[in-house]
Amino acid sequence: AEKAVVKLCYSPSSKEDRPWRKTKDDISKDKQCKTPTKATVDFSDGSVTMKLSDEQPKGLYFARVFAKDADGTEISYGQTTDMIKVRRYDSLKTGIPAAATVCSIIGVSTLIVYFAV
């Protein structure tokens, strides 16, 4: 293998009642492993170091590593048996709550001006 791609896959408990995270036998259509991570794979000892995005949803995951050849074709994959728990207080970017706050202030101000006049 020339390089590897690491994806986080939803655990069975994180897929309950979420049909958009279906497991499929065809790996290219498997929706439980949609998120590639920024990971480095050390081929000498098989260790993987991952940095999770701030936008990674909370849940329970396992890692699946896809080995690729020089052409970028997936030649094999393996996965962990240990679970990775991601805890997030709020996975929204700061711009969304700020915009909602501004819109709320404008709405309340408009109502006050409307009824005061």
Side-chain angles (χ1 to χ4, degrees):
E2 294 287 323
K3 69 176 196 171
V5 174
V6 179
K7 292 184 178 184
L8 288 181
C9 305
Y10 294 105
S11 71
S13 63
S14 291
K15 293 186 302 182
E16 288 177 8
D17 300 325
R18 294 176 178 97
W20 58 89
R21 296 180 182 171
K22 288 182 186 175
T23 303
K24 298 209 176 191
D25 291 334
D26 184 357
I27 293 294
S28 65
K29 295 180 182 178
D30 192 0
K31 295 183 179 181
Q32 74 172 350
C33 302
K34 291 171 44 173
T35 311
T37 62
K38 292 181 180 176
T40 55
V41 178
D42 185 352
F43 287 105
S44 64
D45 66 0
S47 65
V48 177
T49 305
M50 288 188 289
K51 178 162 176 50
L52 298 180
S53 164
D54 290 339
E55 298 173 9
Q56 184 70 39
K58 72 177 182 176
L60 197 58
Y61 297 89
F62 63 90
R64 187 174 282 169
V65 180
F66 295 89
K68 295 188 174 194
D69 62 11
D71 298 330
T73 305
E74 293 176 0
I75 53 176
S76 67
Y77 75 92
Q79 62 191 39
T80 62
T81 54
D82 296 332
M83 294 294 168
I84 302 163
K85 188 170 194 171
V86 176
R87 296 182 192 173
R88 295 271 183 237
Y89 172 72
D90 189 359
S91 61
L92 293 175
K93 290 188 173 187
T94 55
I96 294 172
T101 302
V102 169
C103 289
S104 297
I105 292 170
I106 291 172
V108 170
S109 301
T110 303
L111 284 174
I112 291 171
V113 169
Y114 178 76
F115 287 114
V117 174

